Amino acid sequence: MNTPKRVIALGFFDGVHKGHGALLRRVAERARELDALPAAFTFDTHPESLILGRSTPLLSTTADRADLMRRLYGMQDVIVAHYDREMMKTPWESFITDCLIRDYSAVHVVAGHDFRFGYRGEGNPERLKLKCRELGLGCDIIHPVLQDGITVSSTYIRTLVAQGEMERARTFLGHPHTLTETVAHGKKLGSALGFPTVNLHIPEGVVVPAHGVYATRIWVDGQPHMAVTNVGSRPTVDDGDVLTVEGFLLDFEGNLYDKTVRVEFHKFLRPEETFPSLDALRAEIIRNVAQTRTYFQFAEL
């Protein structure tokens, strides 16, 4: 069985931001030229978590990264490799010859200006270009992408999301900040307040947006629905500090339990707060619903 030849983007692609987009668009372009499969190579966990012994909260789960690369940039294959000590100790030359060429039939690779790979990070863009030339493999190195005079990076966008600055985050991502999860059973507060809701959990290791209420779109069965979404511990109705993401869907009827939905965060509306009664909370949600409708009426999506 012949393995299809691939043009492969190299990176971790957390958030799949505009800088990553420049790589992925180049991959799609080269794949058309070479009649090859446009692909991306990434890892299941961030290399820093093993190399440095500490974890950095990420913008995206592995599944969300793959979905964004496929949906927005047309990657037909997203290769998710397991990052362990064996991979960490792989010499940089072997990564190219054994992994990319032998295992995945790479005919062209695309990497960013700061891409490091192989044991002790000894592989860099210059070495990658020279080795590819030696092996007859095509190679493109993509320059930094700037937004508002700032280099687009996952690190900077993580800070924006943690501060609730979703509109600015979107200008750097090139798309709304996204969370895809399966709807869990909650306390049915939404039904009591007159709104159908989805209750989601933020996966371990994913950055938590600033606690508060957001204008969002929630995709159910491929269709978008406006929603008012709370991130936090719901202090008016809960005594504990369990973190939840609760979306109140507008103009929706149907059963959402156990469905996998995608939440797009568009605008921060207000901080989380405690209300004296459920009636006061209901009145505030109605106000937030009006804000959300107005936002999406004029938003450029």
Side-chain angles (χ1 to χ4, degrees):
M1 179 173 158
N2 291 330
T3 303
K5 60 182 182 180
R6 291 176 172 86
V7 176
I8 302 179
L10 303 174
F12 189 70
F13 302 106
D14 186 31
V16 192
H17 56 57
K18 284 182 174 179
H20 301 138
L23 270 73
L24 299 168
R25 280 192 296 270
R26 181 65 60 84
V27 164
E29 177 186 331
R30 295 297 191 205
R32 286 191 296 270
E33 293 172 358
L34 299 169
D35 190 25
L37 204 66
F41 183 99
T42 186
F43 293 115
D44 56 356
T45 55
H46 201 292
E48 283 185 1
S49 63
L50 191 60
I51 297 170
L52 302 179
R54 58 176 170 79
S55 297
T56 300
L58 302 176
L59 292 164
S60 311
T61 62
T62 302
D64 269 333
R65 281 186 284 140
D67 174 67
L68 288 164
M69 288 191 277
R70 292 178 187 275
R71 181 162 48 86
L72 300 182
Y73 296 103
M75 294 299 102
Q76 294 179 29
D77 190 15
V78 177
I79 303 157
V80 181
H82 179 48
Y83 195 84
D84 54 15
R85 293 195 178 277
E86 182 180 353
M87 177 64 77
M88 182 177 71
K89 293 181 178 180
T90 299
W92 69 269
E93 299 99 326
S94 298
F95 176 74
I96 300 170
T97 57
D98 297 349
C99 185
L100 298 179
I101 297 176
R102 184 193 66 195
D103 295 345
Y104 295 108
S105 301
V107 294
H108 194 104
V109 296
V110 181
H113 66 101
D114 57 353
F115 181 64
R116 303 299 290 261
F117 62 101
Y119 185 53
R120 298 185 184 275
E122 291 174 348
N124 57 35
E126 188 59 35
R127 283 181 163 176
L128 179 64
K129 284 175 64 177
L130 290 173
K131 190 66 176 179
C132 285
R133 187 178 305 142
E134 174 189 322
L135 296 170
L137 194 69
C139 179
D140 288 316
I141 303 299
I142 304 300
H143 296 299
V145 173
L146 300 180
Q147 174 75 36
D148 302 335
I150 299 170
T151 299
V152 177
S153 72
S154 300
T155 301
Y156 180 65
I157 299 167
R158 288 174 199 138
T159 301
L160 295 177
V161 169
Q163 294 173 347
E165 298 182 47
M166 295 304 180
E167 290 176 296
R168 183 163 176 80
R170 179 176 177 169
T171 66
F172 283 79
L173 285 167
H175 57 83
H177 175 60
T178 295
L179 171 67
T180 303
E181 274 293 299
T182 300
V183 178
H185 287 262
K187 295 188 175 181
K188 297 183 170 54
L189 172 65
S191 299
L193 294 173
F195 299 96
T197 63
V198 294
N199 291 280
L200 307 173
H201 299 294
I202 295 180
E204 184 178 354
V206 173
V207 65
V208 177
H211 288 198
V213 177
Y214 296 83
T216 62
R217 287 205 306 175
I218 297 180
W219 291 74
V220 182
D221 295 331
Q223 296 298 317
H225 302 271
M226 291 183 291
V228 174
T229 298
N230 183 82
V231 176
S233 56
R234 305 191 307 177
T236 302
V237 296
D238 286 334
D239 295 328
D241 57 358
V242 176
L243 179 65
T244 62
V245 177
E246 184 173 28
F248 295 78
L249 277 78
L250 284 55
D251 310 320
F252 178 85
E253 293 183 5
N255 182 12
L256 294 167
Y257 291 125
D258 299 323
K259 283 187 177 291
T260 298
V261 302
R262 184 173 80 245
V263 183
E264 295 177 346
F265 292 86
H266 285 264
K267 181 177 176 62
F268 184 83
L269 297 179
R270 63 171 174 84
E272 190 175 44
E273 56 185 297
T274 303
F275 292 91
S277 66
L278 284 181
D279 284 341
L281 174 59
R282 182 185 294 108
E284 180 61 19
I285 292 174
I286 290 171
R287 189 177 78 86
N288 297 150
V289 166
Q291 291 175 307
T292 297
R293 290 191 189 279
T294 300
Y295 173 79
F296 284 113
Q297 182 179 354
F298 298 103
E300 295 182 7
L301 300 177

